[in-house]
C-alpha cells in the first residue's frame, strides 16, 4: 500500500462474527500458541514480534526518503473476570529504524492500546464495549504495517436463530491504520451518530444485509451480498447503495467466481460503480479491491483476476486489477505478487510487490518485506 496517511476528510469522503472484541478476519490466520499465566489460569497471553520494511519508487526504490522500517511487539491479554465476562487488551509497542519516514504517526518510538474492552455473553447474546477490531463489509480495519485499524464501539451480537447472526454496532471513535495512538472522535463530526445494523445467514447458501448510518461522512448506506457453490465453483454477488446528504448518490454492483483448476486457486471479480464513489470507513470488501486500491474510490468498471498456489511451502498469489476513474477521465490498474513462507509454526516471512496506478498516469512500484515471530 502506498506509504501515506489519508487526511480525515479524504478517509471519510472516499471512504460475521464478533468475539472477544475481535471481529473474524477476512483472511484465515495461523493459530498462535496460547500461554497460560502460571499464577492465574483465567488469564491467557499471546503475541507477536514483527519487523516491517516498506519502500517504493516515488523517490527511489530503497532510498530512505521513500522507505520505512518499523519494529513492533504486540501483546494480547485476555482475562476471565467471571463466567461470561472477559476483559481483552492488545498493547502495541513500536520503534522506527529509518528517520525519514515513521510508521504509526510522527513519533519514533511509542506504544498504545489497540484493543481494550469488556466482552459479556449471556445465552445467545454477546456485548462488546470499548476498543475493538471491527470487520463489516464497508466499515472495518485492515491489518497493514504494524497494527490493524481499530474502533471504540459498542457491539451487540445475537445468534438465537439457527444459522443467523444479527449484529448492531455504535461507533464512537476510529483509529485509522498507521495513525499511532490517535483515535478520531467521530461523534464530533456532523450529527455525530455512526452505527451499523447487519444480519448474516449461512447454511445452504450465504447472504448478508447491512445498513450504515455514517454522520461523519454525511451518508447512509445499504449493503447486500449472497453466494453459493455450484459444481465446485463459488459464485457471489453484491450490491451497495450510498445515499449522500449533499452529493450524488453511488450505486455498486459486483460479481465474483472462484474455484480450483490444476492445483491453482483462481478468482475473477467485477464491480460497476455508478455516479459517485462509494462510502466506506477504514476499508471496503468490494470484490475487485486489491492490496493498495479500494474499488470504492473509483467510478466506472473494475475487474480483477487472481491466481494462487503453493510451491514448496511458499504460498504465492498473483493478481491483476483494472479500475476506471471517471472523475478524471482516466483509468488505473494494480498488479500484486504476494509470497508467504512459514519457516516454523511461529516464524514466518512475507514479501509483497505491487505496481499501482491510481488513475493519474504515473504508476508506483512498491516492495514490502515482513518477518514475524508469534509467541
Amino acid at each position: 500500500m502506498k506509504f501515506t496517511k489519508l487526511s480525515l476528510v479524504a478517509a471519510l469522503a472516499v471512504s460475521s462474527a464478533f468475539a472477544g472484541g475481535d471481529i473474524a478476519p477476512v483472511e484465515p490466520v495461523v493459530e498462535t500458541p496460547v500461554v497460560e499465566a502460571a499464577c492465574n489460569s483465567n488469564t491467557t497471553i499471546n503475541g507477536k514480534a514483527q519487523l516491517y520494511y516498506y519502500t517504493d519508487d516515488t523517490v527511489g526504490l530503497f532510498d530512505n526518503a521513500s522507505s520505512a522500517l518499523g519494529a513492533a511487539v504486540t501483546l494480547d491479554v485476555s482475562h476471565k473476570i467471571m463466567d461470561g465476562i472477559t476483559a481483552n487488551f492488545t498493547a502495541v509497542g513500536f520503534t522506527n529504524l529509518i528517520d525519514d519516514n515513521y510508521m504509526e504517526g510522527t513519533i519514533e518510538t511509542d506504544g498504545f492500546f489497540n484493543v481494550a474492552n469488556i466482552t459479556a455473553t449471556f445465552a445467545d447474546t454477546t456485548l462488546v464495549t470499548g476498543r475493538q477490531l471491527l470487520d463489516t463489509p464497508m466499515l472495518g480495519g485492515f491489518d497493514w504495517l504494524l497494527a490493524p485499524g481499530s474502533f471504540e464501539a459498542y457491539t451487540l451480537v445475537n445468534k438465537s436463530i439457527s444459522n443467523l447472526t444479527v449484529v448492531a454496532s455504535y461507533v464512537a471513535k476510529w483509529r485509522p491504520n498507521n495513525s499511532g495512538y490517535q483515535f478520531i472522535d467521530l461523534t464530533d463530526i456532523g450529527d455525530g451518530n455512526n452505527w451499523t445494523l447487519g444480519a448474516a445467514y449461512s447454511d445452504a447458501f450465504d447472504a448478508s444485509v447491512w445498513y450504515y448510518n455514517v454522520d461523519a461522512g454525511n451518508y447512509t448506506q445499504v449493503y447486500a451480498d449472497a453466494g453459493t457453490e455450484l459444481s465446485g465453483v463459488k459464485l457471489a454477488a453484491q450490491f451497495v447503495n450510498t445515499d449522500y446528504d449533499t452529493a450524488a448518490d453511488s450505486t455498486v454492483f459486483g460479481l465474483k467466481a472462484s474455484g480450483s483448476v490444476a492445483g491453482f486457486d483462481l478468482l475473477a471479480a467485477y464491480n460497476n460503480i455508478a455516479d459517485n464513489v462509494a462510502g466506506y470507513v477504514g476499508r471496503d470488501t468490494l470484490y475487485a479491491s486489491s492490496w493498495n486500491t479500494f474499488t470504492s474510490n473509483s467510478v466506472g468498471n473494475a475487474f480483477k483476476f487472481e491466481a494462487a498456489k503453493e510451491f514448496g511451502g511458499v504460498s504465492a498469489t498473483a493478481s491483476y486489477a483494472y479500475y476506471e476513474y471517471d472523475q478524471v477521465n482516466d483509468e488505473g490498474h494494480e498488479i500484486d505478487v504476494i509470497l508467504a513462507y512459514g519457516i516454523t509454526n511461529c516464524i514466518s516471512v512475507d514479501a509483497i510487490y505491487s505496481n499501482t496506478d491510481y488513475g493519474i498516469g504515473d504508476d508506483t512500484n512498491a516492495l514490502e518485506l515482513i518477518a514475524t515471530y508469534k509467541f
Side-chain angles (χ1 to χ4, degrees):
M1 183 163 296
K2 187 176 181 182
F3 189 67
T4 183
K5 270 182 65 178
L6 287 177
S7 68
L8 171 63
V9 173
L12 290 176
V14 299
S15 47
S16 204
F18 294 59
D22 217 350
I23 305 306
V26 177
E27 299 293 339
V29 297
V30 178
E31 287 293 332
T32 304
V34 174
V35 180
E36 292 193 351
C39 61
N40 193 334
S41 61
N42 289 327
T43 301
T44 58
I45 303 173
N46 59 42
K48 67 178 181 179
Q50 191 169 66
L51 192 66
Y52 204 120
Y53 176 69
Y54 174 94
T55 185
D56 65 35
D57 61 359
T58 51
V59 175
L61 210 60
F62 307 113
D63 190 299
N64 279 4
S66 55
S67 303
L69 176 61
V73 174
T74 300
L75 191 65
D76 299 316
V77 179
S78 179
H79 176 70
K80 179 182 175 181
I81 299 173
M82 57 184 295
D83 286 345
I85 300 179
T86 305
N88 306 282
F89 302 92
T90 297
V92 180
F94 66 90
T95 188
N96 285 279
L97 305 175
I98 293 179
D99 290 336
D100 297 71
N101 290 303
Y102 286 163
M103 295 183 184
E104 297 299 343
T106 59
I107 300 176
E108 180 179 3
T109 301
D110 207 347
F112 56 91
F113 281 97
N114 205 33
V115 169
N117 67 64
I118 298 294
T119 299
T121 300
F122 178 75
D124 297 321
T125 300
T126 298
L127 173 66
V128 183
T129 177
R131 293 187 183 181
Q132 55 193 273
L133 305 183
L134 295 177
D135 184 11
T136 78
M138 303 299 286
L139 185 155
F142 61 98
D143 196 358
W144 178 64
L145 297 182
L146 302 182
S150 61
F151 300 82
E152 289 190 7
Y154 306 88
T155 300
L156 195 65
V157 183
N158 180 268
K159 297 184 178 182
S160 297
I161 301 175
S162 178
N163 303 316
L164 181 69
T165 301
V166 178
V167 180
S169 189
Y170 180 88
V171 182
K173 295 182 180 181
W174 172 36
R175 192 195 77 82
N177 187 270
N178 198 36
S179 63
Y181 57 82
Q182 301 294 332
F183 276 79
I184 299 168
D185 190 346
L186 301 180
T187 64
D188 280 346
I189 304 173
D191 290 337
N193 293 311
N194 304 276
W195 53 270
T196 182
L197 177 64
Y201 174 82
S202 182
D203 192 15
F205 63 93
D206 299 321
S208 73
V209 177
W210 295 82
Y211 180 83
Y212 297 90
N213 184 93
V214 184
D215 286 345
N218 293 314
Y219 68 82
T220 59
Q221 186 177 72
V222 174
Y223 173 95
D225 64 24
T228 190
E229 183 172 340
L230 297 174
S231 301
V233 178
K234 295 180 180 179
L235 303 173
Q238 63 185 179
F239 167 81
V240 188
N241 177 261
T242 308
D243 185 354
Y244 290 104
D245 293 346
T246 59
D249 295 343
S250 169
T251 303
V252 180
F253 294 95
L255 296 171
K256 180 174 67 172
S258 61
S260 297
V261 177
F264 286 86
D265 295 327
L266 304 177
L267 177 146
Y270 169 78
N271 284 114
N272 178 268
I273 307 93
D275 302 323
N276 200 355
V277 296
Y280 69 92
V281 179
R283 62 102 174 92
D284 70 31
T285 57
L286 297 186
Y287 295 151
S289 289
S290 298
W291 184 263
N292 295 328
T293 306
F294 296 136
T295 305
S296 293
N297 294 335
S298 65
V299 176
N301 296 306
F303 59 80
K304 177 181 179 181
F305 299 103
E306 181 179 285
K309 186 176 175 60
E310 183 174 315
F311 300 91
V314 177
S315 298
T317 303
S319 64
Y320 170 81
Y322 165 88
Y323 305 96
E324 287 184 340
Y325 295 91
D326 281 357
Q327 303 98 317
V328 293
N329 297 315
D330 211 334
E331 57 190 20
H333 71 262
E334 180 167 340
I335 299 170
D336 297 327
V337 178
I338 302 173
L339 304 177
Y341 178 65
I343 299 174
T344 70
N345 288 337
C346 298
I347 301 174
S348 63
V349 291
D350 304 273
I352 302 98
Y353 164 77
S354 60
N355 175 276
T356 309
D357 179 356
Y358 295 98
I360 57 177
D362 186 14
D363 57 342
T364 299
N365 293 287
L367 177 66
E368 300 169 53
L369 302 174
I370 312 163
T372 304
Y373 171 66
K374 296 183 178 181
F375 56 88

